[in-house]
Structures are given as structure tokens and as C-alpha cells.
């Protein structure tokens, strides 16, 4: 984070006057469902609507064919608990039709079972049908045999379309009865991926899918790279913090900083540019592709980088806070559909031709790991639950609580070198966004004297100006905020606040709980329209006829302000990051958990990574029974105005250290280059690698739900082998390497040493890298599973 002295913003305030938003266009897109459809899905020029109201979908990419089938349930449960409303998944042609006409839908290729299970978790599904996918798959997902035929893929070549018809017919047969109009979870289908200059082919793909019997309300195609998308498909967009596809001389890609500004520009011309240049000979500078009419379609995303993969030549280190800040910026910029790629990591498949990742050997510009596709996603390759799962959940809870309103709002963006801001509003209410966040390579400084004077068009009070805060504040470095304007409460209106909405819960009668998150370093001020009776740790004053409420204590899970029946819980950021809203023990409850939790059939499932888990539950629940561990109810502090029920859960979980060998001897292979862009190639010879035999004690994994071997090391490339087969690999980039050892089998590590002379790019934060290879620590991380069920007392 920057440590420069705060810079002054425009004073006394950023003055922003908003115009009345235009009425969204309807009926101009060939999508949506007919009148009378249950839970009807429609699309306007501004948003997706559901049941007649705007909705704000939140989608995460989870590849069923890259996860063990037995892990689907956990991945989907965490996705739901993380606030997703839907999941997207590639149908990889090469996995399903390994030889012509030989289709496989068994095991973890059972698309129907995955989609059905997602529906059981209350998640919608977006099926990315290909035929070409990319996804760092071999041949972009095409089977090898296809490329031997005399045809031109990804065009309307009749020979190619015949094969597509066969593929789509098989896919649609698997999905029979699962479309939204049939009561199923499928709401959308994506045609191909990253196809830039064949709009007629994209339109043909939709027609083929429909002729095969697929009837979904929404049809999409990736719109980035200046893609020509026909008006029969909704363009969906991407944004990444960094890109492994850049060359090894790029420190931070030029495309990245724009994603930390609020901007009405949706497209990113650089995503996939390496493939366009390498495979198609099209440069991003050619500029020959016509832009789309953004005013005709809502701003929807499908690939907000949930992390970043690594290639051999370039190994980005995207942080969890980077991901959350980028997602926030897109909401401020007008996104009405947050879609993450990836939300869950996975493992590359192995087929008859070998490992199924993109590589120089298959004509692609990048060598990526042969097995791991972890992507440092919110959920890792082996189910690791990471910090950005929690940071993003804070945004998702807000979108669940007010997404219908936000989706109907338009964005006005602005800012200068001192402060970046946006206002997202309708005629009478909205949110003011501001950010001082940019990744560590180009951090932003704190900003002093931040204040906004925002004039909304107004329904009942035309021209009313809301000044927030009433006195200027300093915005610390490395933060992003969205402060509410004229937020309706049960009996009042929250005119403004210097805390962010997290969620709201209905209580008995017309009472409610509004949960806000304070920003560390920013004093909390609430302004209530008109007069109000306020109790709690606050001072109040009347300014211009409105009640100004100033918090007098540090926010925490016990900080409650009551405004005529609306209870406002004001959390600090750490507590907000622990917050879930789950339907458990017979009703929707707010839960603060310091370990990951999910819901299952009304029970609360704790997935502890440590021996003890602390829970706070509101409304309170007593009399819980525990399976897989123990649970004890704790007394609440005397100052606990919300009367949480507090529990400590114990489980067989936590780290167990094994002996680590330290420095090792190995010989680095000579650097090689390959692929169409002559980039560094991943070494394939491991005869001179250092070898470490890791014995996994049975006592360590016994009783754990899952067990991961965490390897903290430095070097170049590592492989984990069992019975001579590579089960995991790792291009060292500064993070530890996790290997699934739940089954208790021993592991052999083959490790190649680091050499600066090779020329691999790693993040500046992990430089300099010591030469050679060293294993500093080996730890088995035991993850438990404790299911808490309600007794009659709890209900």
C-alpha cells in the first residue's frame, strides 16, 4: 500500500448533478421467455429481469470435468454460501467425444448430474457449449481427431457443422428437462468462446442448438477483443488483474490499470490477443473490428478474473484483495451481471494423447502446468477456501439485498488524479463509489478532504442535493467504498452513510436488521432524513432538518444502533469478512464464522481448517447437535446488544508438520523456446531433478474430511508423483504448493532448481529468487467437517 501523505481531493466537494435515467428499451432482443412463463426471465437494454423485476446474477465458473465427482457437492455448496446465484461450466468436446462418435457422459463427465446438483443447491447454470472453449485446454477443447479432418473449424463449413450438430444433439439430450422453462436451473447457453470475426457462425451455432431442442432464455457470446457478436446473442465481457499470456518482459500489462478505474468502457481488446496473433495472425492493433452498440444491451460479465493461472514463461501473483477491488470497480462501472473465471480451480484431464492442457507442443503460445488448474481461485483446486471467497461474499450479500435496485441504476463515472469515483443511481436513490485501490506495483495514495455533493433528479424532491459526508474525511490508501444514498428503511430513509451496506434481514413485525460495514480508518456517520429517535453508542445532531448520527465507538459485532425499530449493526471489516447469510435451523440467519461454513438441508456445515471454530449466530440458535466434532455454546458478553448465540466447534483439523529436507541438489536444464511466439518452454526432462520421498502417516489423515500436503519451497518446476504418474505439478511463483493426500498415499516430489539465467518472469514481490532448490516446510493440513443440526430448542 502507498504510504505517501494524503492528497487533497477537490474541495469543498465533488459536485455531481445526475440526469434522469432513460427508460430501458424492451423487446428489441431475440431473447427472454414468453408471457405466462413461471419466474419469467426477460432482458432489457439495462438489465436481466426475473418475475417482472430487475435481477443481478452472480456467476462463478466451475468445471465439472476438472473436479472429482465426489467434490462437486462441496464446491457447489461453497459457491452458494459465497453468494453466487449461478455457476457456469465448459463442456469440453475433447473429454466427451475422445474418438469420433464415441460419447462419454460417465463419472465426472456426467453433465446432467452436475447441472441437476447445482439446481438442488439453488444455483442457476450457464452452459458454455463450445464447440471451442479455450480454458487453457489442449486444442482449446477440440479433440485431436477433429484437427486431422479436411474442414475449417469455427466456421460455417458444412463438414464442420455436421460434427457440431452431432455434438450439440448429445449435449442437449443430456440437458433434457433441465432448462429454466421446464423448471430446471439452466438460464443461459454460451456459443463458442473468443470468436472475433465470424458473427454469422455464432448465429448459426445458436440455431443448431435450438434445432437440437435447447430452449433457454439467454444466449451469450464473449464480446471482448472487439468481437463481432450478432444481435441474437448477448455479448459478455472480461477483466483481469494480470495475464500469464503476456510475454516475460512485461512487468504489469497495459490492460490491467483500467480495471481499477470506474469506466463505461466494457471491452478489453487484450484478453486472448496472444491466441489471435499466434493462431490467426490478427493483431490487437489492426482495429478492423466494429464496436457493438453498448446502449442496446446490459453490461454483463462472464470472466472477471477470480485469480490467475501461470505459464512457464510468466507467473503472475494476483492477490485476493486485487480480485475484490476489480469486482467492486465493475459494479461501480455499471455491471449488472458479475461473472468470475475461475471461481473454483480444478485439475487438467489426461486423455489418450496425454495431458490435456494447452502447450507449445499443440501449437499454442504458452506452456501451462500439465495437471494443476488451480488459478488461485476463491476455491482452490482441492477445495481450499481462500480469502477472496470471503471478500467477494461481502459484495455478493449486498447484491442479494439490493441487487434489484442496483441493476436498475445507471452509472456516472468520474474522478481525477486525486480520487476515482462513480455514482450509480436511479431517479431517487443510489450509491457513491470511490476507490484508492490499485495493485502493489502501482499503488495509490490516501486522499484527504473527500466529500461529495450529489444532486439526484428526484421523484418527490427534484433537485435535492445529498452531501456525503457532512464534513470531509480522508480515504485511506488501498480501499474501495460504496456509500448508500437515500436507502429506504422500515420507517425512515438513510439519506447517506460512510459505511457500506452488507445485508439486511427482516425481523418480527415491520422491524429489520440492516448490517453495514465500516471502512477501517473512516469515521462512521449516518444521516437520517428528517427527525428520528436514535439509541446506541452515538451522538446526534440536526443539520438542515436531518438527523446526523456519529458513531462513538469502534465498530464491532456488538455495535448496534436503533432507529425507530430498524436495528443497524455496524461491523468492522474483519467481522464483515466472516459474515454469511444462510438458511439454517428453520430460517435465514446471519452467521459470523472464522472458518468456512455452508448450508445443507437446513443444517450448518463447518469446514474447519483449525481445531477450534468460533461461531456467532443471529437470530440465536440454541440446542445444536454436532456430528463429526463437538459444539459448545458460550455465554454472550454483557455488551452484546444483538444477543448472538455463540458457539465453539471442535474438530480433528489443523496443520501437522513433517520433516522438510531444506536445500537440495539438482541441475537446471538448458532453457528452450517454442510455440508460435517463441516463448520459454516448460522443461520435460526430470532426470536431474532433486527427489523428495514424502511419507504420509496414516495417523495424520485419519479422521479428517480432507488432507492436503502443503509444500513451501523455492525452485523452478515441481512434479508430484504416485506410482510413477504425475498427479500434480507446480511452476513456482511465490505461493505454496498444495497436493491432495486425503487417501494417505505417499508422494514423491521431483524438483528442478531456479536459475535467473532462464529468464522466467515472477512477481517483483517474490524477487530475488534464490538459486537452486529448497524445501523449507512440509505440512499436512487437515480439514474437518462438522454438521450442526437444530434440536427443537434451536428452532
Amino acid at each position: 500500500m502507498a504510504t505517501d501523505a494524503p492528497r487533497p481531493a477537490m474541495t469543498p466537494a465533488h459536485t455531481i448533478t445526475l440526469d434522469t435515467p432513460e427508460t430501458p428499451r424492451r423487446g428489441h432482443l431475440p431473447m427472454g421467455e414468453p408471457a405466462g412463463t413461471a419466474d419469467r426471465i426477460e432482458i432489457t437494454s439495462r438489465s436481466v429481469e426475473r418475475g417482472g423485476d430487475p435481477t443481478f446474477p452472480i456467476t462463478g465458473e466451475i468445471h465439472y470435468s476438472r473436479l472429482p465427482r465426489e467434490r462437486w457437492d462441496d464446491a457447489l455448496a461453497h459457491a452458494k454460501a459465497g453468494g453466487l446465484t449461478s455457476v457456469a461450466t465448459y463442456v469440453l468436446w475433447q473429454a466427451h467425444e475422445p474418438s469420433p462418435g464415441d460419447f462419454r457422459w460417465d463419472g465426472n463427465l456426467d453433465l446432467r448430474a452436475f447441472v441437476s446438483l447445482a439446481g438442488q443447491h439453488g444455483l442457476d447454470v450457464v452452459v458454455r457449449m463450445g464447440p471451442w472453449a479455450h480454458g487453457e485446454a489442449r486444442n482449446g477443447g477440440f479433440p485431436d481427431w477433429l484437427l486431422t479432418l479436411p474442414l475449417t473449424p469455427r466456421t460455417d463449413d458444412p463438414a464442420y457443422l455436421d460434427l457440431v450438430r452431432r455434438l450439440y444433439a448429445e449435449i442437449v439430450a443430456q440437458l433434457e428437462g433441465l432448462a429454466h422453462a421446464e423448471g430446471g436451473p439452466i438460464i443461459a447457453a454460451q456459443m463458442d468462446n473468443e470468436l472475433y470475426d465470424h458473427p454469422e457462425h455464432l448465429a448459426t451455432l445458436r440455431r443448431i442448438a435450438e434445432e437440437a431442442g435447447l430452449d433457454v432464455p439467454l444466449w451469450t457470446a464473449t464480446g471482448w477483443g472487439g468481437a463481432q457478436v450478432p444481435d441474437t446473442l448477448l455479448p459478455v465481457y472480461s477483466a483481469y488483474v494480470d495475464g500469464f499470456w503476456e510475454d516475460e518482459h512485461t512487468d504489469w500489462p497495459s490492460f490491467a490499470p483500467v480495471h481499477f478505474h470506474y469506466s463505461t468502457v466494457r471491452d478489453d481488446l487484450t484478453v486472448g490477443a496472444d491466441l489471435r496473433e499466434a493462431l490467426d495472425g490478427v493483431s490487437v492493433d489492426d482495429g478492423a473490428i466494429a464496436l457493438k452498440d453498448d446502449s442496446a444491451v446490459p453490461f454483463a460479465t462472464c470472466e472477471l478474473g477470480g485469480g490467475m493461472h501461470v505459464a512457464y514463461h510468466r507467473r503472475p501473483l494476483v492477490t485476493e484483495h486485487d480480485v475484490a477491488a476489480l469486482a467492486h470497480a465493475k459494479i461501480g462501472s455499471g455491471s449488472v451481471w458479475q461473472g468470475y473465471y475461475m471461481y473454483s480451480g480444478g485439475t487438467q484431464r489426461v486423455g489418450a494423447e496425454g495431458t490435456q492442457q494447452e502447450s507449445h507442443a499443440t501449437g499454442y503460445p504458452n506452456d501451462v502446468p500439465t495437471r494443476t488448474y488451480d488459478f488461485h481461485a476463491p476455491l482452490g483446486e482441492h477445495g481450499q477456501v481462500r480469502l477472496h471467497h470471503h471478500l467477494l461474499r461481502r459484495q455478493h450479500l449486498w447484491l442479494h439485498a439490493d441487487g434489484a435496485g442496483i441493476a436498475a441504476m445507471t452509472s456516472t463515472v468520474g474522478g481525477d488524479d486525486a480520487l476515482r469515483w462513480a455514482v450509480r443511481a436511479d431517479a431517487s436513490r443510489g450509491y457513491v463509489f470511490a476507490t484508492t485501490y490499485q495493485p502493489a506495483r502501482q499503488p495509490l495514495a490516501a486522499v484527504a478532504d473527500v466529500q461529495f455533493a450529489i444532486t439526484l433528479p428526484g421523484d418527490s424532491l427534484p433537485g435535492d442535493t445529498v452531501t456525503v459526508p457532512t464534513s470531509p474525511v480522508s480515504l485511506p490508501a488501498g480501499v474501495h467504498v460504496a456509500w448508500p444514498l437515500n436507502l429506504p428503511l422500515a420507517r425512515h430513509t438513510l439519506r447517506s452513510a460512510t459505511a457500506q451496506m452488507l445485508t439486511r434481514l427482516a425481523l418480527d413485525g415491520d422491524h429489520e436488521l440492516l448490517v453495514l460495514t465500516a471502512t477501517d480508518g473512516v469515521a462512521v456517520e449516518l444521516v437520517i432524513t428528517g427527525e428520528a429517535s436514535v439509541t446506541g453508542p452515538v451522538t446526534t445532531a440536526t443539520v438542515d432538518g436531518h438527523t446526523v448520527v456519529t458513531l462513538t465507538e469502534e465498530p464491532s459485532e456488538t455495535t448496534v444502533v436503533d432507529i425507530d425499530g430498524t436495528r443497524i449493526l455496524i461491523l468492522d471489516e474483519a467481522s464483515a469478512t466472516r459474515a454469511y447469510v444462510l438458511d439454517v435451523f428453520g430460517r435465514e440467519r446471519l452467521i459470523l464464522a472464522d472458518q468456512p461454513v455452508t448450508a445443507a438441508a437446513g443444517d450448518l456445515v463447518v469446514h474447519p481448517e483449525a481445531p477450534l471454530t468460533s461461531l456467532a449466530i443471529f437470530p440465536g440458535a440454541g440446542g445444536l447437535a454436532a456430528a463429526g466434532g463437538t459444539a459448545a455454546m458460550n455465554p454472550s458478553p454483557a455488551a452484546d446488544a444483538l444477543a448472538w448465540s455463540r458457539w465453539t466447534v471442535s474438530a480433528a483439523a489443523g496443520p501437522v508438520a513433517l520433516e522438510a529436507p531444506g536445500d537440495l541438489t539438482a541441475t537446471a536444464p538448458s532453457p528452450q523456446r517454442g510455440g508460435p511466439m517463441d516463448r520459454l518452454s516448460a522443461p520435460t526432462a526430470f532426470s536431474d531433478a532433486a527427489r523428495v520421498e514424502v511419507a504420509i502417516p496414516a495417523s495424520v489423515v485419519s479422521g479428517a474430511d480432507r488432507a492436503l500436503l502443503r509444500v513451501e519451497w523455492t525452485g523452478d518446476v515441481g512434479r508430484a508423483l504416485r506410482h510413477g504418474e504425475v498427479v500434480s505439478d507446480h511452476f513456482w511463483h511465490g505461493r505454496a504448493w498444495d497436493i491432495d493426500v486425503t487417501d494417505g498415499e505417499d508422494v514423491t516430489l521431483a524438483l528442478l532448481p531456479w536459475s535467473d539465467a532462464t529468464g522466467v518472469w515472477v512477481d517483483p514481490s517474490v524477487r530475488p529468487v534464490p538459486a537452486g532448490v529448497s524445501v523449507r516446510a512440509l505440512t499436512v493440513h487437515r480439514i474437518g467437517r462438522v454438521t450442526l443440526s437444530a434440536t427443537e430448542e434451536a428452532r
Side-chain angles (χ1 to χ4, degrees), residues 106-350:
D106 59 321
N108 75 337
L109 296 177
D110 192 340
L111 172 62
R112 182 177 186 82
F114 178 79
V115 172
S116 298
L117 185 60
Q120 292 170 28
H121 280 276
L123 294 164
D124 295 325
V125 177
V126 178
V127 182
R128 303 179 84 180
M129 294 176 62
W132 191 83
H134 195 192
E136 290 67 67
R138 179 186 180 96
N139 308 322
F142 280 161
D144 278 27
W145 57 262
L146 177 72
L147 303 182
T148 67
L149 301 177
L151 49 76
T152 305
R154 307 182 76 192
T155 71
D156 281 352
D157 180 332
Y160 176 66
L161 294 182
D162 284 346
L163 296 172
V164 172
R165 287 188 180 92
R166 184 172 73 188
L167 171 68
Y168 274 18
E170 287 278 342
I171 294 172
V172 174
Q174 293 296 314
L175 302 178
E176 183 178 358
L178 296 178
H180 178 260
E182 301 170 297
I186 302 173
I187 60 168
Q190 179 184 304
M191 302 292 94
D192 207 87
N193 193 64
E194 299 176 343
L195 187 61
Y196 303 95
D197 55 356
H198 287 82
E200 73 290 342
H201 178 59
L202 291 172
T204 296
L205 292 176
R206 172 177 171 174
R207 286 196 300 272
I208 292 173
E210 288 180 307
E211 289 167 359
L214 187 62
D215 180 13
V216 294
L218 304 174
W219 297 86
T220 72
T222 51
W224 57 81
Q228 295 176 331
V229 177
D231 62 7
T232 56
L233 301 174
L234 171 67
V236 288
Y237 291 96
S238 66
Y240 286 93
V241 176
D242 206 329
F244 69 84
W245 53 83
E246 296 287 313
D247 67 41
E248 65 262 31
H249 305 295
T250 301
D251 185 46
W252 196 32
S254 59
F255 67 75
V258 70
H259 297 309
F260 296 91
H261 291 256
Y262 306 107
S263 171
T264 57
V265 177
R266 302 177 182 184
D267 201 355
D268 186 338
L269 294 173
T270 62
V271 176
D274 58 331
L275 290 183
R276 296 204 299 283
E277 185 172 348
L279 304 183
D280 303 325
V282 177
S283 170
V284 294
D285 299 322
D286 288 353
I289 299 174
L291 296 176
K292 294 161 287 295
D293 180 6
D294 287 348
S295 68
V297 294
F299 180 15
T301 69
C302 70
E303 288 198 16
L304 302 180
M308 179 48 56
H309 202 31
V310 296
Y312 180 73
H313 71 283
R314 192 170 193 280
R315 309 175 188 181
L317 196 69
V318 169
T319 73
E320 297 86 349
H321 288 279
D322 292 344
V323 172
L326 182 147
H328 160 94
K330 295 305 170 185
I331 300 172
S333 299
S335 167
V336 298
W337 190 334
Q338 296 287 89
Y340 302 99
Y341 189 97
M342 297 289 296
Y343 194 81
S344 170
T347 304
Q348 295 277 15
R349 299 184 61 82
V350 177

Side-chain angles (χ1 to χ4, degrees), residues 634-673:
N634 305 319
S636 293
D640 189 352
L642 204 58
W644 299 90
S645 65
R646 299 176 183 274
W647 293 81
T648 297
V649 177
S650 302
V656 177
L658 306 179
E659 184 177 355
D663 294 341
L664 299 165
T665 301
T667 302
S670 299
Q672 303 292 322
R673 289 185 173 270

Side-chain angles (χ1 to χ4, degrees), residues 30-31 140 178 254 271 278 292 310 334 344 451 459 488 556 575 584 611 632 684 719 724 777:
M31 289 181 234
L178 296 178
S254 59
V271 176
K292 294 161 287 295
V310 296
S344 170
Q451 188 180 43
D459 289 330
S556 74
S575 295
V584 293
T684 57
R719 288 179 171 176

Side-chain angles (χ1 to χ4, degrees), residues 459-544:
D459 289 330
S460 58
L461 293 172
D464 184 31
T465 298
V466 179
T467 299
V468 55
T470 56
S471 297
V473 297
S474 290
L475 204 59
V479 303
H480 44 85
V481 301
W483 292 337
L485 307 170
N486 288 343
L487 180 69
L489 305 179
R491 299 175 183 172
H492 290 283
T493 296
L494 182 60
R495 183 175 173 82
S496 67
T498 57
Q500 304 181 71
M501 183 174 173
L502 181 67
T503 190
R504 61 199 308 172
L505 276 74
L507 303 178
D508 295 335
D510 62 350
H511 294 249
E512 66 172 340
L513 176 69
L514 174 67
V515 186
L516 301 179
T517 303
T519 299
D520 294 345
V522 177
V524 175
E525 174 190 88
L526 313 176
V527 180
I528 309 302
T529 299
E531 295 182 358
S533 174
V534 182
T535 59
V538 299
T539 61
T540 61
T542 301
V543 177
D544 296 331

Side-chain angles (χ1 to χ4, degrees), residues 16-35:
I16 306 161
T17 300
L18 302 178
D19 296 325
T20 301
E22 294 182 0
T23 301
R25 296 164 61 187
R26 296 177 177 276
H28 62 296
L29 299 171
M31 289 181 234
E33 295 171 319

